[in-house]
């Protein structure tokens, strides 16, 4: 194995707070590693150390000489005065300056990523556009190793799935932090968890990590039960001793303090406790009557009608810019429709978690003071109330953290605080706009449990496919140009149906056109009837006529090898990866071949 990165005894602290200590592991060529941890446990700090943006207390970080490393930051810097094309265009490699076509490569990738105006100034880009431009910039540097910090944040689902497929196919070495569990599960072959200042390594995907982690927690709980029993015995001994103890008892006193520290270990993966009540909600929720809205020529809704039912949970998906956030603001009355009206039930009490709401905190206030301004006491149910401080503890804000100024909170801590301020008002209709960004996986799991059992209604806009699958009973799919499709199922079922529809269309197109092999055999007749093709298209068609039989043959050979039972584990993995590449290339090439044949007429 070729070593790309070696981390030895890495330790980092902020003041008296230790993030991690004596971390040691290696990254080797071809590794695809996911890093998971709770918010505030040091994931982004760890990546900043690896990329030289932050110092560390002790240890070493050693890269292989000449290794090209691409780093996608969680919030990529966007220099003023540059266009998207200028920012994404890679610098030429030494000796290739005269023939360098970096701008063409950048223009092509940006267009593929949905950035149609490549001359747009960076400061005018939306969050999703900025993330795509930054991603294009990193990929175009052709790195040997990628370091990605929350790469799926602000990307729409189509773009997430493109990146997922790209990283699965490419042999690039990868180290990333992400909360997207499907993304982790499909891409990563190793999971590294930072927990209690240590790391735990799991050689498998995310599903394997979950099973092994549960085993580790159960074993730790069993050990802690023994420690606490022994601690009880030692405490009784300590209490019986006179103040002046002999030297022979010193080891027991030291042992007592060690046991006491070990007994405080946190083991429960669901530390956030969302025990928050909801107000009663009646049978009438809301009815949309002929709602229309557009901005200039862009149609968001067109004569949309819908009656929302009690306890309904809807996921909203669609491309960035299709109107999802506008739809929510129309529903909440923050903007008005051009025509039509919403009829809202009298018992509806909104709880709105928005992207803009994150900026509403006073940075100079302490966490506890910001919450007390909303309510000194929070009602959980008819019999239970909590003080503001007790309520914050349910969201992992310790008494010490509650005294922190909001300006000092991490991105995930801010999300948790904002979520707390929304839920503490006991809403019965939750409207959540991208609630999963910056939340750690443990917090997400608890939020999902809370929403699944929530005695009210939920509308959630999210690009997190796992989250949608757990929460949504059905989907509003924003297709663009005012069209909304109501899909009766979860997101995975929807994507499967879309894939089947696309497959059927492709098969229908194949049936309408001659088979590629027959067309290749009669290439002369085809070539003679190409008056509608440009010279470039003619060359492309000729190349496809040669390529398709070659791809078919290689695919057949790979399938025979995989079913032969003679390959080693490494050879099976390599052949499987190559088969996936060939199959995708074959599908793309056949589709393009048929498109060119249609131009021939």
């Amino acid at each position: 194995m070729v070593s790309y990165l070696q981390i030895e005894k890495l330790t980092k602290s902020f003041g008296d707070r230790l993030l991690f200590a004596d971390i040691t592991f290696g990254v080797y060529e071809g590794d695809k590693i996911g890093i998971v941890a709770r918010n505030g446990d040091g994931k982004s700090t760890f990546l900043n150390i690896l990329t030289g943006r932050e110092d560390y207390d002790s240890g070493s970080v050693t890269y292989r000489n000449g290794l090209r490393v691409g780093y996608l930051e969680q919030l990529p810097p966007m220099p003023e005065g540059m266009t998207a094309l200028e920012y994404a265009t890679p610098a030429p490699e030494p000796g290739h300056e005269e023939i360098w076509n970096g701008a063409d490569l950048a223009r092509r990738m940006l267009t593929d990523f949905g950035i149609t105006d490549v001359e747009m100034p960076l400061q005018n880009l939306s969050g999703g556009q900025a993330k795509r431009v930054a991603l294009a910039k990193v990929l175009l540097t052709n790195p040997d190793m990628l370091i990605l910090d929350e790469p799926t944040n602000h990307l729409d689902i189509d773009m997430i799935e493109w990146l997922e497929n790209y990283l699965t196919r490419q042999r690039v070495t990868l180290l990333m932090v992400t909360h997207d569990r499907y993304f982790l599960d499909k891409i990563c072959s190793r999971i590294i968890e930072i927990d209690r200042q240590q790391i735990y390594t799991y050689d498998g995907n995310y599903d394997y990590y979950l099973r092994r982690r549960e085993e580790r927690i159960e074993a730790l709980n069993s050990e802690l039960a023994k420690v606490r029993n022994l601690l009880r015995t030692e405490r009784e001994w300590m209490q019986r001793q006179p103040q002046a103890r002999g030297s022979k008892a010193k080891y027991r006193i030291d042992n007592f303090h060690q046991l006491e520290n070990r007994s405080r270990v946190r083991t429960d993966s669901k530390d956030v406790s969302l025990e928050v009540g909801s107000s009663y909600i009646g049978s009438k929720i809301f009815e949309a009557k002929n709602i229309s809205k557009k901005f200039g020529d862009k149609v968001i809704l067109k004569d949309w009608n819908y009656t929302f039912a009690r306890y309904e949970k809807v996921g909203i998906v669609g491309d960035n810019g299709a109107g999802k956030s506008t739809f929510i603001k129309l529903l909440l009355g923050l903007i008005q429709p051009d025509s039509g009206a919403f009829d809202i039930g009298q018992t509806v009490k909104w709880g709105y978690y928005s992207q803009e709401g994150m900026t509403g905190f006073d940075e100079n206030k302490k966490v506890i003071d910001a919450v007390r301004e909303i309510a000194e006491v929070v009602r959980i149910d008819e019999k239970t109330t909590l003080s503001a401080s007790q309520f914050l503890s349910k969201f992992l804000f310790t008494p010490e953290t509650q005294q922190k100024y909001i300006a000092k909170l991490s991105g995930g801590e801010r999300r948790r605080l904002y979520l707390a301020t929304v839920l503490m008002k006991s809403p019965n209709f939750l409207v959540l706009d991208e609630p999963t960004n910056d939340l750690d996986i443990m917090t997400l799991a608890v939020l999902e449990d809370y929403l699944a059992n929530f005695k009210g209604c939920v509308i959630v806009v999210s690009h997190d496919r796992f989250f949608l699958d757990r929460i949504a009973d059905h989907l509003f799919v924003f297709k663009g140009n005012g069209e909304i499709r109501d899909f009766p199922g979860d997101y995975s079922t929807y994507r499967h149906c879309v894939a089947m529809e696309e497959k059927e269309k492709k098969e229908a197109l194949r049936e309408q056109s001659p088979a590629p092999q027959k067309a290749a055999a009669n290439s002369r007749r085809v070539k003679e009837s190409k008056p509608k093709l440009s010279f470039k298209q003619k060359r492309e068609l000729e190349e496809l006529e040669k390529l398709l039989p070659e791809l078919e043959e290689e695919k057949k050979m790979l399938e025979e090898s995989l079913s032969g039972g003679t390959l080693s584990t490494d050879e099976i993995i390599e052949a499987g990866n190559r088969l996936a590449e060939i199959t995708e290339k074959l599908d793309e090439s056949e589709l393009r071949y048929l498109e060119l044949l249609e131009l021939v007429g």
Side-chain angles (χ1 to χ4, degrees), residues 551-564 567 571 574-583:
L551 292 174
E552 289 280 8
E553 182 62 25
E554 185 176 359
K555 180 183 178 185
K556 181 180 177 182
M557 291 174 63
L558 285 167
E559 289 173 339
E560 289 174 354
S561 297
L562 286 167
S563 61
L567 300 181
E571 288 172 334
E574 185 176 355
N577 290 338
R578 179 58 181 162
L579 181 60
E581 293 174 10
I582 289 293
T583 302

Side-chain angles (χ1 to χ4, degrees), residues 291-294 297-304 322-323 477-485:
I291 302 294
S292 294
K293 183 66 179 180
K294 67 178 182 178
D297 295 332
K298 184 175 183 179
V299 179
I300 305 298
L301 291 173
K302 186 176 182 181
D303 295 327
W304 185 67
V477 183
F478 279 65
K479 309 288 286 184
N481 200 33
E483 180 187 354
I484 300 179
R485 178 183 178 185

Side-chain angles (χ1 to χ4, degrees), residues 26-53:
V27 179
Y28 300 90
E29 182 180 14
D31 278 349
K32 289 186 168 66
I33 301 172
I35 299 175
V36 299
R38 292 175 176 83
N39 289 136
D41 277 4
K43 301 186 296 293
S44 292
T45 299
F46 181 65
L47 295 190
N48 283 334
I49 289 172
L50 297 188
T51 55
R53 287 161 172 78

Side-chain angles (χ1 to χ4, degrees), residues 2 154 340 485 526 561:
V2 179
H154 305 295
R485 178 183 178 185
V526 173
S561 297

Side-chain angles (χ1 to χ4, degrees), residues 124-290:
N124 294 347
L125 298 176
S126 67
Q129 289 173 326
K131 199 64 174 278
R132 280 176 277 164
V133 170
L135 179 61
K137 178 181 178 66
V138 171
L139 297 181
L140 286 168
T141 61
N142 195 27
D144 302 309
M145 178 177 171
L146 274 173
I147 298 179
L148 308 178
D149 191 359
E150 296 291 3
T152 64
N153 275 9
H154 305 295
L155 296 182
D156 58 43
I157 294 178
D158 285 342
M159 188 67 215
I160 291 172
E161 291 179 342
W162 181 94
L163 181 59
E164 187 177 79
N165 291 328
Y166 175 87
L167 294 174
T168 302
R169 294 195 314 270
Q170 298 299 313
R171 302 188 181 215
V172 65
T173 302
L174 175 66
L175 185 68
M176 72 172 174
V177 167
T178 181
H179 67 262
D180 190 317
R181 288 150 290 180
Y182 283 158
F183 200 74
L184 272 173
D185 196 55
K186 184 169 182 180
I187 294 169
C188 293
S189 55
R190 185 159 34 133
I191 304 294
I192 292 178
E193 180 185 14
I194 303 174
D195 186 27
R196 296 186 300 279
Q197 296 90 43
Q198 302 178 54
I199 66 164
Y200 298 87
T201 300
Y202 304 84
D203 290 322
N205 63 5
Y206 180 70
D207 180 67
Y208 175 81
Y209 152 74
L210 287 178
R211 286 185 278 114
R212 292 300 304 274
R213 184 181 190 275
E214 185 175 3
E215 293 171 5
R216 178 172 69 82
I217 296 299
E218 287 176 356
L220 186 57
N221 280 332
S222 177
E223 179 190 348
L224 285 177
K226 296 175 184 176
V227 167
R228 285 166 182 152
N229 285 333
L230 186 54
L231 177 64
R232 191 178 303 113
T233 302
E234 291 294 285
R235 183 177 287 114
E236 291 172 357
W237 177 85
M238 290 282 288
Q239 290 170 349
R240 289 199 304 267
Q241 297 309 302
Q243 287 298 105
R245 299 181 177 93
S247 59
K248 290 183 180 180
K250 185 177 185 303
Y251 80 94
R252 293 197 68 174
I253 298 170
D254 293 340
N255 185 53
F256 170 78
H257 293 301
Q258 290 173 6
L259 288 171
E260 195 169 38
N261 288 333
R262 288 171 65 193
S263 73
R264 292 172 181 159
V265 170
R266 180 187 65 208
T267 61
D268 188 2
S269 64
K270 294 185 177 180
D271 289 316
V272 182
S273 178
L274 305 187
E275 299 170 359
V276 187
S278 60
S279 304
Y280 168 79
I281 190 166
S283 57
K284 180 180 179 180
I285 311 302
F286 80 75
E287 184 179 358
K289 302 177 181 178
N290 300 313

Side-chain angles (χ1 to χ4, degrees), residues 275-277 371-372 374-392 394-395 420-427:
E275 299 170 359
V276 187
V371 171
R372 281 175 176 159
I374 299 171
E376 292 278 353
V377 175
V378 181
R379 182 184 67 84
I380 302 302
D381 54 41
E382 292 181 358
K383 299 180 180 179
T384 309
T385 59
L386 295 176
S387 69
S389 180
Q390 290 171 324
F391 181 74
L392 277 171
K394 300 288 186 181
F395 288 79
T421 61
V422 171
L423 297 183
M424 69 186 295
K425 299 170 186 174
S426 300

